[in-house]
Amino acid sequence: MNPHLFVYGTLLSTAGHRNGARLQREARLIGEASIPGRLYRIEHYPGLVEGTDPQELVHGEVHALNNPVSALTWLDAYEGIQPGAFDRNEYERVERRVRLATGEQLAAWVYLYRKDVAPLRLIPGGRWAPATS
């Protein structure tokens, strides 16, 4: 199973969230990365909507999970993914290509926002920060 995970919100190493701290204990930070898309403020957290425009990027980090099966189980629960409830889930976990700051590309798990973004505020520049978002 792919051990790489791209995070862009509350799980960032700089976000100060308890689940981000858990992720740091259960994974190795590879480095900064980006993925084409747009970032929206949902409430106190962001949502990534996939895109194809290379000028619109969402910035985050890639982690290598020590035990992907175990980690993805609690991460899915944290992201509110309920098996068999796809239509009700706010996010879906998919594998996508991300670009590391070094220019290297790799496949990583990413949580994409699935709901309507029309009423949401776009986060300019695709960088989420808890204090300013």
Side-chain angles (χ1 to χ4, degrees):
M1 172 174 268
N2 185 347
H4 299 117
L5 174 70
F6 176 80
V7 299
Y8 54 85
T10 59
L11 295 171
L12 288 166
S13 60
T14 56
H17 191 278
R18 72 177 189 281
N19 282 325
R22 180 176 181 181
L23 178 61
Q24 289 177 52
R25 290 190 304 271
E26 297 184 21
R28 177 179 53 87
L29 176 62
I30 293 176
E32 294 183 3
S34 61
I35 186 171
R38 296 177 134 209
L39 199 59
Y40 293 88
R41 177 185 169 88
I42 298 166
E43 290 177 13
H44 59 281
Y45 57 93
L48 163 62
V49 174
E50 199 166 24
T52 56
D53 183 346
Q55 302 303 311
E56 292 183 324
L57 296 174
V58 172
H59 303 276
E61 304 168 337
V62 172
H63 296 259
L65 303 169
N66 298 333
N67 182 336
V69 173
S70 172
L72 291 170
T73 299
W74 71 260
L75 286 161
D76 283 356
Y78 173 64
E79 298 293 352
I81 295 176
Q82 299 174 26
F86 184 78
D87 290 342
R88 292 190 307 271
N89 291 337
E90 193 172 36
Y91 290 91
E92 70 176 311
R93 177 172 45 91
V94 297
E95 276 186 284
R96 293 294 186 263
R97 306 262 332 143
V98 298
R99 182 178 298 277
L100 296 172
T102 63
E104 177 186 358
Q105 291 190 41
L106 55 81
W109 294 108
V110 60
Y111 288 92
L112 298 178
Y113 187 68
R114 308 186 54 254
K115 301 295 182 179
D116 181 21
V117 297
L120 303 176
R121 181 173 59 104
L122 180 68
I123 297 174
R127 282 186 204 278
W128 183 77
T132 60
S133 293

